[in-house]
Amino acid sequence: MKLIDGKAVAAQIKLEIAEEVKQILASGGKRPHLAAILVGHDGGSETYVASKVKTCEEVGFQSTLIRYEEDVTEDELLGKVCELNENPGIDGFIVQLPLPKHISEQKVIETIDYRKDVDGFHPVNVGRMSIGLPCFVSATPAGILELLKRYDIETSGKHCVVLGRSNIVGKPVANLLMQKAYPGDCTVTVCHSRTKDIKKYCLEADIIIAALGSPEFLKGDMVREGAVVIDVGTTRVSSTETKSGFKLKGDVKFDEVAPKCSYITPVPGGVGPMTIISLMRNTLLAGKKGIYGYL
Ligand code: GUN
């Protein structure tokens, strides 16, 4: 069994991005600038956004954090999105999800200029991704593919089972892995909360992407010998073992599943660090106007 070290891969890519930023600046280019909008004080969102801002600093990007209280109106938020769309100094921006119930996430996403949508959530980016055109690919699926690539894991002709059908992970990763490319060329099955006998599908899988958000869902008896298991779960559970008072639990019962795998990602230190680094890559691309040209 080989542990896929997302933390180490992310650290390597961070150096690569930082080097590229230095070159851009040395040749008179502009420092890439990411803005993030954070609404409310959800613990998970606070942590993720703080991590994004910190990583921007580490790779040499400029970052701007815009905060709103939980009771911000949809109109006010949409107004800020339009302002960021128009601001030539901002290369890309994200609105951290989830948003409070009185705000339509879909409306917010569709208001973002797709050319600045470094999260890859806008329907233009999702649509282009699904037919293999250049676009911003959302960060978690991009991070998963990068791990498969950097560990040289064979995907062509493999049966990949994706657990979960979210717009952020399940759907896009299933789509990317079925495309005629490497990593890709998989036969993909998507399982979700209404799937009958998930175990049957998992036992037929060469690659399992677990993205249900259900702690320790995937047990040892659901995985066949030699499978590749990618754990996307990051449920926060309270814990007395950590200073913060919580720890992250994956969707995989690691102790049972790991001995059967050829490769497996841990939680934390697997997919998580790759998600943030993929956002940085998209921001670098946005700064270079590398997909949609000059705005
Ligand atoms: N909430 C959970 N994951 C994400 C993400 O990748 N981007 C944004 N904007 N919100 C999230």
Side-chain angles (χ1 to χ4, degrees), residues 82-102:
C82 292
E83 197 185 303
L84 295 176
N85 284 343
E86 298 299 322
N87 183 342
I90 305 278
D91 298 298
F93 65 98
I94 64 159
V95 180
Q96 187 67 25
L97 306 178
L99 292 171
K101 287 202 170 44
H102 65 278

PDB file of all heavy atoms in Angstrom, residues 82-102:
ATOM      1  N   CYS A  82     -20.628  42.144  -8.693  1.00  0.00           N
ATOM      2  CA  CYS A  82     -20.547  42.954  -9.925  1.00  0.00           C
ATOM      3  C   CYS A  82     -19.352  43.904  -9.867  1.00  0.00           C
ATOM      4  O   CYS A  82     -18.652  44.102 -10.861  1.00  0.00           O
ATOM      5  CB  CYS A  82     -21.835  43.752 -10.138  1.00  0.00           C
ATOM      6  SG  CYS A  82     -23.231  42.678 -10.514  1.00  0.00           S
ATOM      7  N   GLU A  83     -19.121  44.458  -8.667  1.00  0.00           N
ATOM      8  CA  GLU A  83     -17.986  45.372  -8.498  1.00  0.00           C
ATOM      9  C   GLU A  83     -16.664  44.640  -8.765  1.00  0.00           C
ATOM     10  O   GLU A  83     -15.790  45.149  -9.458  1.00  0.00           O
ATOM     11  CB  GLU A  83     -18.045  45.878  -7.050  1.00  0.00           C
ATOM     12  CG  GLU A  83     -17.255  47.109  -6.745  1.00  0.00           C
ATOM     13  CD  GLU A  83     -17.341  47.394  -5.241  1.00  0.00           C
ATOM     14  OE1 GLU A  83     -18.482  47.544  -4.723  1.00  0.00           O
ATOM     15  OE2 GLU A  83     -16.282  47.438  -4.587  1.00  0.00           O
ATOM     16  N   LEU A  84     -16.544  43.417  -8.230  1.00  0.00           N
ATOM     17  CA  LEU A  84     -15.312  42.643  -8.447  1.00  0.00           C
ATOM     18  C   LEU A  84     -15.171  42.244  -9.918  1.00  0.00           C
ATOM     19  O   LEU A  84     -14.060  42.224 -10.452  1.00  0.00           O
ATOM     20  CB  LEU A  84     -15.289  41.389  -7.550  1.00  0.00           C
ATOM     21  CG  LEU A  84     -15.223  41.652  -6.046  1.00  0.00           C
ATOM     22  CD1 LEU A  84     -15.307  40.327  -5.272  1.00  0.00           C
ATOM     23  CD2 LEU A  84     -13.946  42.390  -5.649  1.00  0.00           C
ATOM     24  N   ASN A  85     -16.307  41.947 -10.567  1.00  0.00           N
ATOM     25  CA  ASN A  85     -16.266  41.625 -12.003  1.00  0.00           C
ATOM     26  C   ASN A  85     -15.619  42.765 -12.789  1.00  0.00           C
ATOM     27  O   ASN A  85     -14.865  42.547 -13.730  1.00  0.00           O
ATOM     28  CB  ASN A  85     -17.687  41.436 -12.554  1.00  0.00           C
ATOM     29  CG  ASN A  85     -18.300  40.100 -12.156  1.00  0.00           C
ATOM     30  OD1 ASN A  85     -17.602  39.177 -11.751  1.00  0.00           O
ATOM     31  ND2 ASN A  85     -19.620  40.002 -12.278  1.00  0.00           N
ATOM     32  N   GLU A  86     -15.965  44.002 -12.360  1.00  0.00           N
ATOM     33  CA  GLU A  86     -15.526  45.194 -13.110  1.00  0.00           C
ATOM     34  C   GLU A  86     -14.128  45.658 -12.725  1.00  0.00           C
ATOM     35  O   GLU A  86     -13.539  46.459 -13.445  1.00  0.00           O
ATOM     36  CB  GLU A  86     -16.501  46.361 -12.843  1.00  0.00           C
ATOM     37  CG  GLU A  86     -17.940  46.112 -13.289  1.00  0.00           C
ATOM     38  CD  GLU A  86     -18.037  45.870 -14.783  1.00  0.00           C
ATOM     39  OE1 GLU A  86     -17.304  46.531 -15.546  1.00  0.00           O
ATOM     40  OE2 GLU A  86     -18.841  45.004 -15.185  1.00  0.00           O
ATOM     41  N   ASN A  87     -13.641  45.214 -11.580  1.00  0.00           N
ATOM     42  CA  ASN A  87     -12.361  45.723 -11.057  1.00  0.00           C
ATOM     43  C   ASN A  87     -11.187  45.081 -11.795  1.00  0.00           C
ATOM     44  O   ASN A  87     -10.901  43.902 -11.611  1.00  0.00           O
ATOM     45  CB  ASN A  87     -12.303  45.420  -9.554  1.00  0.00           C
ATOM     46  CG  ASN A  87     -11.049  45.970  -8.900  1.00  0.00           C
ATOM     47  OD1 ASN A  87     -10.070  46.282  -9.586  1.00  0.00           O
ATOM     48  ND2 ASN A  87     -11.071  46.092  -7.591  1.00  0.00           N
ATOM     49  N   PRO A  88     -10.460  45.844 -12.605  1.00  0.00           N
ATOM     50  CA  PRO A  88      -9.386  45.249 -13.409  1.00  0.00           C
ATOM     51  C   PRO A  88      -8.205  44.765 -12.555  1.00  0.00           C
ATOM     52  O   PRO A  88      -7.400  43.958 -13.021  1.00  0.00           O
ATOM     53  CB  PRO A  88      -8.962  46.395 -14.337  1.00  0.00           C
ATOM     54  CG  PRO A  88      -9.442  47.644 -13.677  1.00  0.00           C
ATOM     55  CD  PRO A  88     -10.622  47.278 -12.829  1.00  0.00           C
ATOM     56  N   GLY A  89      -8.127  45.229 -11.319  1.00  0.00           N
ATOM     57  CA  GLY A  89      -7.028  44.799 -10.444  1.00  0.00           C
ATOM     58  C   GLY A  89      -7.211  43.378  -9.913  1.00  0.00           C
ATOM     59  O   GLY A  89      -6.263  42.736  -9.473  1.00  0.00           O
ATOM     60  N   ILE A  90      -8.444  42.901  -9.903  1.00  0.00           N
ATOM     61  CA  ILE A  90      -8.741  41.559  -9.375  1.00  0.00           C
ATOM     62  C   ILE A  90      -8.751  40.569 -10.541  1.00  0.00           C
ATOM     63  O   ILE A  90      -9.535  40.696 -11.471  1.00  0.00           O
ATOM     64  CB  ILE A  90     -10.140  41.532  -8.691  1.00  0.00           C
ATOM     65  CG1 ILE A  90     -10.260  42.600  -7.606  1.00  0.00           C
ATOM     66  CG2 ILE A  90     -10.487  40.132  -8.176  1.00  0.00           C
ATOM     67  CD1 ILE A  90      -9.670  42.250  -6.274  1.00  0.00           C
ATOM     68  N   ASP A  91      -7.872  39.568 -10.475  1.00  0.00           N
ATOM     69  CA  ASP A  91      -7.798  38.591 -11.574  1.00  0.00           C
ATOM     70  C   ASP A  91      -8.870  37.516 -11.449  1.00  0.00           C
ATOM     71  O   ASP A  91      -9.410  37.046 -12.440  1.00  0.00           O
ATOM     72  CB  ASP A  91      -6.413  37.931 -11.585  1.00  0.00           C
ATOM     73  CG  ASP A  91      -5.334  38.955 -11.838  1.00  0.00           C
ATOM     74  OD1 ASP A  91      -5.360  39.568 -12.915  1.00  0.00           O
ATOM     75  OD2 ASP A  91      -4.490  39.178 -10.938  1.00  0.00           O
ATOM     76  N   GLY A  92      -9.120  37.098 -10.197  1.00  0.00           N
ATOM     77  CA  GLY A  92     -10.113  36.064  -9.970  1.00  0.00           C
ATOM     78  C   GLY A  92     -10.659  36.198  -8.569  1.00  0.00           C
ATOM     79  O   GLY A  92     -10.023  36.809  -7.706  1.00  0.00           O
ATOM     80  N   PHE A  93     -11.871  35.690  -8.348  1.00  0.00           N
ATOM     81  CA  PHE A  93     -12.410  35.738  -6.980  1.00  0.00           C
ATOM     82  C   PHE A  93     -13.354  34.573  -6.720  1.00  0.00           C
ATOM     83  O   PHE A  93     -13.843  33.921  -7.645  1.00  0.00           O
ATOM     84  CB  PHE A  93     -13.069  37.090  -6.664  1.00  0.00           C
ATOM     85  CG  PHE A  93     -14.301  37.411  -7.462  1.00  0.00           C
ATOM     86  CD1 PHE A  93     -15.567  37.180  -6.922  1.00  0.00           C
ATOM     87  CD2 PHE A  93     -14.217  37.953  -8.728  1.00  0.00           C
ATOM     88  CE1 PHE A  93     -16.717  37.492  -7.641  1.00  0.00           C
ATOM     89  CE2 PHE A  93     -15.349  38.265  -9.455  1.00  0.00           C
ATOM     90  CZ  PHE A  93     -16.604  38.030  -8.914  1.00  0.00           C
ATOM     91  N   ILE A  94     -13.552  34.324  -5.439  1.00  0.00           N
ATOM     92  CA  ILE A  94     -14.448  33.242  -5.017  1.00  0.00           C
ATOM     93  C   ILE A  94     -15.438  33.780  -3.989  1.00  0.00           C
ATOM     94  O   ILE A  94     -15.145  34.743  -3.282  1.00  0.00           O
ATOM     95  CB  ILE A  94     -13.673  32.062  -4.381  1.00  0.00           C
ATOM     96  CG1 ILE A  94     -12.969  32.501  -3.089  1.00  0.00           C
ATOM     97  CG2 ILE A  94     -12.654  31.479  -5.351  1.00  0.00           C
ATOM     98  CD1 ILE A  94     -12.639  31.355  -2.173  1.00  0.00           C
ATOM     99  N   VAL A  95     -16.583  33.168  -3.938  1.00  0.00           N
ATOM    100  CA  VAL A  95     -17.542  33.429  -2.855  1.00  0.00           C
ATOM    101  C   VAL A  95     -17.615  32.105  -2.087  1.00  0.00           C
ATOM    102  O   VAL A  95     -18.035  31.090  -2.647  1.00  0.00           O
ATOM    103  CB  VAL A  95     -18.928  33.822  -3.395  1.00  0.00           C
ATOM    104  CG1 VAL A  95     -19.894  34.077  -2.250  1.00  0.00           C
ATOM    105  CG2 VAL A  95     -18.827  35.044  -4.305  1.00  0.00           C
ATOM    106  N   GLN A  96     -17.144  32.117  -0.854  1.00  0.00           N
ATOM    107  CA  GLN A  96     -17.102  30.859  -0.106  1.00  0.00           C
ATOM    108  C   GLN A  96     -18.521  30.339   0.170  1.00  0.00           C
ATOM    109  O   GLN A  96     -19.395  31.086   0.615  1.00  0.00           O
ATOM    110  CB  GLN A  96     -16.332  31.074   1.218  1.00  0.00           C
ATOM    111  CG  GLN A  96     -16.059  29.804   2.009  1.00  0.00           C
ATOM    112  CD  GLN A  96     -15.095  28.838   1.325  1.00  0.00           C
ATOM    113  OE1 GLN A  96     -14.271  29.220   0.505  1.00  0.00           O
ATOM    114  NE2 GLN A  96     -15.195  27.562   1.651  1.00  0.00           N
ATOM    115  N   LEU A  97     -18.721  29.068  -0.114  1.00  0.00           N
ATOM    116  CA  LEU A  97     -20.009  28.406   0.136  1.00  0.00           C
ATOM    117  C   LEU A  97     -19.893  27.531   1.380  1.00  0.00           C
ATOM    118  O   LEU A  97     -18.789  27.096   1.709  1.00  0.00           O
ATOM    119  CB  LEU A  97     -20.384  27.545  -1.074  1.00  0.00           C
ATOM    120  CG  LEU A  97     -20.400  28.256  -2.442  1.00  0.00           C
ATOM    121  CD1 LEU A  97     -20.748  27.266  -3.540  1.00  0.00           C
ATOM    122  CD2 LEU A  97     -21.383  29.419  -2.438  1.00  0.00           C
ATOM    123  N   PRO A  98     -20.944  27.236   2.090  1.00  0.00           N
ATOM    124  CA  PRO A  98     -22.326  27.612   1.812  1.00  0.00           C
ATOM    125  C   PRO A  98     -22.637  29.059   2.197  1.00  0.00           C
ATOM    126  O   PRO A  98     -21.953  29.654   3.026  1.00  0.00           O
ATOM    127  CB  PRO A  98     -23.115  26.634   2.699  1.00  0.00           C
ATOM    128  CG  PRO A  98     -22.210  26.316   3.843  1.00  0.00           C
ATOM    129  CD  PRO A  98     -20.820  26.370   3.285  1.00  0.00           C
ATOM    130  N   LEU A  99     -23.706  29.583   1.588  1.00  0.00           N
ATOM    131  CA  LEU A  99     -24.197  30.915   1.926  1.00  0.00           C
ATOM    132  C   LEU A  99     -25.453  30.765   2.785  1.00  0.00           C
ATOM    133  O   LEU A  99     -26.103  29.711   2.743  1.00  0.00           O
ATOM    134  CB  LEU A  99     -24.535  31.671   0.640  1.00  0.00           C
ATOM    135  CG  LEU A  99     -23.334  32.048  -0.232  1.00  0.00           C
ATOM    136  CD1 LEU A  99     -23.791  32.605  -1.578  1.00  0.00           C
ATOM    137  CD2 LEU A  99     -22.439  33.063   0.481  1.00  0.00           C
ATOM    138  N   PRO A 100     -25.815  31.823   3.553  1.00  0.00           N
ATOM    139  CA  PRO A 100     -27.051  31.744   4.350  1.00  0.00           C
ATOM    140  C   PRO A 100     -28.259  31.441   3.453  1.00  0.00           C
ATOM    141  O   PRO A 100     -28.242  31.777   2.260  1.00  0.00           O
ATOM    142  CB  PRO A 100     -27.166  33.142   4.963  1.00  0.00           C
ATOM    143  CG  PRO A 100     -25.822  33.753   4.848  1.00  0.00           C
ATOM    144  CD  PRO A 100     -25.120  33.101   3.704  1.00  0.00           C
ATOM    145  N   LYS A 101     -29.267  30.851   4.054  1.00  0.00           N
ATOM    146  CA  LYS A 101     -30.427  30.342   3.280  1.00  0.00           C
ATOM    147  C   LYS A 101     -31.173  31.410   2.480  1.00  0.00           C
ATOM    148  O   LYS A 101     -31.780  31.110   1.457  1.00  0.00           O
ATOM    149  CB  LYS A 101     -31.407  29.638   4.224  1.00  0.00           C
ATOM    150  CG  LYS A 101     -30.868  28.293   4.684  1.00  0.00           C
ATOM    151  CD  LYS A 101     -31.944  27.345   5.151  1.00  0.00           C
ATOM    152  CE  LYS A 101     -31.418  25.937   5.373  1.00  0.00           C
ATOM    153  NZ  LYS A 101     -30.135  25.865   6.069  1.00  0.00           N
ATOM    154  N   HIS A 102     -31.141  32.676   2.967  1.00  0.00           N
ATOM    155  CA  HIS A 102     -31.900  33.709   2.258  1.00  0.00           C
ATOM    156  C   HIS A 102     -31.185  34.193   0.983  1.00  0.00           C
ATOM    157  O   HIS A 102     -31.697  35.053   0.274  1.00  0.00           O
ATOM    158  CB  HIS A 102     -32.192  34.895   3.193  1.00  0.00           C
ATOM    159  CG  HIS A 102     -30.958  35.636   3.639  1.00  0.00           C
ATOM    160  ND1 HIS A 102     -30.160  35.219   4.672  1.00  0.00           N
ATOM    161  CD2 HIS A 102     -30.378  36.759   3.160  1.00  0.00           C
ATOM    162  CE1 HIS A 102     -29.155  36.066   4.839  1.00  0.00           C
ATOM    163  NE2 HIS A 102     -29.262  37.004   3.927  1.00  0.00           N
TER     164      HIS A 102
END
